[in-house]
Amino acid sequence: MEQSKIGYIDSLETMGLVDGPGIRFVVFLRGCKLRCLFCHNPETWDYKDCLKINSEDLIKRIHKYHVYYQNGGGVTFSGGEPLLQPDFLIDMLKKCHMINLHTAIDTAGVGIGNYEEILKHTDLVLLDIKAINEEKYLEMTGKPMDEFNNFVKALNQSNCEVIIRQVIIPGINDNEDYIKELKEYVKKIKNVKKIDLLPYHLFGKEKYNKLNIPYPLEGVPPMDKNKIEDLKKLLD
């Protein structure tokens, strides 16, 4: 029998409603290479003080709630960045499929490779777009766009369904020109079912204070949800 893999976990949610279709078991994995200006989960960046769970134990936990996820729901692997733990992620995706559960990953597309194998066992990718050109991506994340582009290339060779997620931030990308450019950019990605525009919020600010990390967008107000609705109309 294949040895169980160890996952470095931030938290688990048994009744998730916003991380994919239906009711979902959500696994928030630790680790992230990016330092996005709007990140609201800085505690997930590293593996310090995290939960360590092996894949056998985790699938048993998921199976306890199996009945809730069968009809339109499933399991979502989020983060942090789930692609940074490819062996554990692949093992869990396979185990979920073995009990006929829909699988999704919520990702920024910046891992350490083996994307083809990961996507082979993934039904849905919730792809977080940070920016759509090299200069802005580096400014927004602190990293070049190369690894993201590698992931998109693998994604386009897969059969995964895709939902695009884009955080909209006042004064940065909350304008018609950006939304129109985003709409054109997304045409390069296969099997996109929809584009979700998510309003920037301040929910993570207190976490930065507790971790003694300067808040990158100090002074930027939360996004006006009415303006978000207007921008969404540009995607029709």
Side-chain angles (χ1 to χ4, degrees):
M1 182 180 292
E2 186 177 350
Q3 187 174 4
S4 183
K5 308 297 183 184
I6 299 295
Y8 297 86
I9 309 294
D10 183 72
S11 59
L12 304 171
E13 185 176 354
T14 57
M15 295 290 168
L17 297 173
V18 296
D19 296 284
I23 301 172
R24 307 192 72 81
F25 192 107
V26 188
V27 183
F28 295 93
L29 287 89
R30 283 289 190 96
C32 187
K33 292 182 178 181
L34 305 182
R35 294 295 179 265
C36 300
L37 297 181
F38 54 87
C39 179
H40 61 275
N41 290 319
E43 74 281 6
T44 66
W45 291 347
D46 58 36
Y47 303 103
K48 184 179 178 181
D49 300 324
C50 67
L51 303 170
K52 294 180 183 178
I53 303 176
N54 71 60
S55 54
E56 269 313 318
D57 288 342
L58 183 53
I59 199 64
K60 287 175 184 176
R61 292 195 195 191
I62 293 170
H63 198 271
K64 289 180 183 178
Y65 302 92
H66 187 270
V67 65
Y68 296 105
Y69 313 133
Q70 284 181 312
N71 298 314
V75 182
T76 298
F77 297 90
S78 185
E81 176 51 71
L83 297 180
L84 288 177
Q85 300 186 50
D87 292 343
F88 176 77
L89 180 60
I90 291 166
D91 194 24
M92 285 305 307
L93 292 167
K94 288 179 178 179
K95 283 176 165 57
C96 289
H97 274 174
M98 284 175 67
I99 56 174
N100 298 314
L101 288 178
H102 180 275
T103 59
I105 57 173
D106 183 354
T107 176
V110 180
I112 53 176
N114 212 3
Y115 301 138
E116 291 82 3
E117 184 66 17
I118 291 169
L119 295 170
K120 191 188 301 181
H121 307 287
T122 302
D123 299 310
L124 171 67
V125 173
L126 306 170
L127 183 61
D128 301 318
I129 300 289
K130 308 302 183 180
I132 55 178
N133 66 55
E134 298 281 351
E135 181 182 355
K136 288 296 183 182
Y137 189 93
L138 181 61
E139 181 182 317
M140 193 67 68
T141 69
K143 295 289 183 180
M145 208 170 180
D146 299 4
E147 195 62 34
F148 173 80
N149 290 335
N150 289 338
F151 179 75
V152 170
K153 182 179 179 181
L155 184 58
N156 281 339
Q157 293 171 349
S158 77
N159 294 316
C160 296
E161 291 189 343
V162 181
I163 293 175
I164 299 295
R165 288 178 160 183
Q166 169 73 72
V167 175
I168 301 300
I169 308 166
I172 293 180
N173 58 8
D174 62 333
N175 57 78
E176 292 189 8
D177 287 344
Y178 181 81
I179 301 304
K180 289 175 181 177
E181 290 171 7
L182 174 65
K183 185 177 180 179
E184 286 303 307
Y185 177 82
V186 168
K187 289 179 181 178
K188 302 175 184 178
I189 303 173
K190 283 176 52 181
N191 298 326
V192 173
K193 300 307 174 185
K194 65 175 178 173
I195 302 173
D196 284 338
L197 302 183
L198 308 177
Y200 166 73
H201 56 69
L202 304 180
F203 299 155
K205 188 173 180 180
E206 187 58 34
K207 296 179 183 179
Y208 284 80
N209 294 335
K210 288 181 179 178
L211 293 169
N212 200 28
I213 302 172
Y215 190 66
L217 294 179
E218 187 66 52
V220 176
M223 186 63 207
D224 184 333
K225 293 183 180 179
N226 291 325
K227 187 172 183 180
I228 285 277
E229 294 305 314
D230 289 338
L231 293 174
K232 284 180 180 178
K233 294 173 184 175
L234 300 172
L235 298 172
D236 295 338

